[in-house]
Amino acid sequence: MLAISLTTFGQDDISIYGVVRDHFDNEKMPNVDIAIYADGKTLFQKKTNLNGKYEFILDFNHLYRIVYTFPNYVSKYLTIDARDIPKIDQTGGFEMNIDMTLFHEIENLDVSILDDPIGKFQYDATRGSMEWDMAY
């Protein structure tokens, strides 16, 4: 599961925050690894705090891959394409609440669908804003 919301923010960047929970018992998950890649290279890594919360700031003009991993759980990732956004639409930045759920690995369960991102966030020129690719 992925829950998100998006609002305009005061800085000219993208502020990401959220909570990671266990899919089945809804418990907050501390120490989940969150790896942030920019244009295919590791940018930095974070861990969720004791309440399963995390936050970080991203700059515009990069393609990001955000990967959530925890031992004995199935990893998930999403992409944020912050490239080719006109300066006027970058003004004020964006704030995104991305709540994530992870679930335990289950023997013989085919999770190959998660080899692809669970969501894609990108610039929509017709709206002049960042949007989730709902068709994806």
Side-chain angles (χ1 to χ4, degrees):
M1 172 180 229
L2 169 71
I4 56 97
S5 66
L6 172 70
T7 56
T8 302
F9 194 60
Q11 304 278 329
D12 292 347
D13 53 29
I14 303 170
S15 176
I16 310 289
Y17 65 94
V19 176
V20 181
R21 297 176 185 267
D22 181 286
H23 178 77
F24 293 105
D25 66 16
N26 207 35
E27 291 291 321
K28 295 174 182 174
M29 296 178 62
N31 297 313
V32 172
D33 289 308
I34 303 172
I36 296 87
Y37 300 87
D39 307 318
K41 297 178 183 140
T42 302
L43 185 61
F44 59 89
Q45 294 187 336
K46 303 275 285 189
K47 285 191 180 281
T48 56
N49 69 15
L50 293 175
N51 293 316
K53 295 180 180 181
Y54 69 93
E55 61 183 276
F56 52 86
I57 303 290
L58 301 176
D59 293 324
F60 288 102
N61 302 313
H62 298 283
L63 175 61
Y64 295 100
R65 179 177 169 146
I66 315 298
V67 182
Y68 301 80
T69 59
F70 194 75
N72 302 313
Y73 278 71
V74 175
S75 296
K76 295 181 181 177
Y77 78 96
L78 57 94
T79 61
I80 299 173
D81 191 346
R83 300 172 297 178
D84 303 321
I85 301 170
K87 274 288 196 198
I88 189 71
D89 292 331
Q90 292 180 21
T91 303
F94 297 96
E95 183 177 78
M96 297 175 58
N97 178 14
I98 304 176
D99 290 342
M100 181 65 64
T101 62
L102 299 178
F103 60 92
H104 280 279
E105 295 172 341
I106 300 171
E107 189 174 344
N108 298 320
L109 178 64
D110 181 8
V111 293
S112 60
I113 192 168
L114 296 176
D115 292 342
D116 293 322
I118 62 167
K120 294 181 178 183
F121 189 70
Q122 60 200 16
Y123 179 71
D124 182 336
T126 60
R127 293 183 180 200
S129 65
M130 300 285 289
E131 302 285 336
W132 287 102
D133 182 349
M134 299 310 276
Y136 174 76

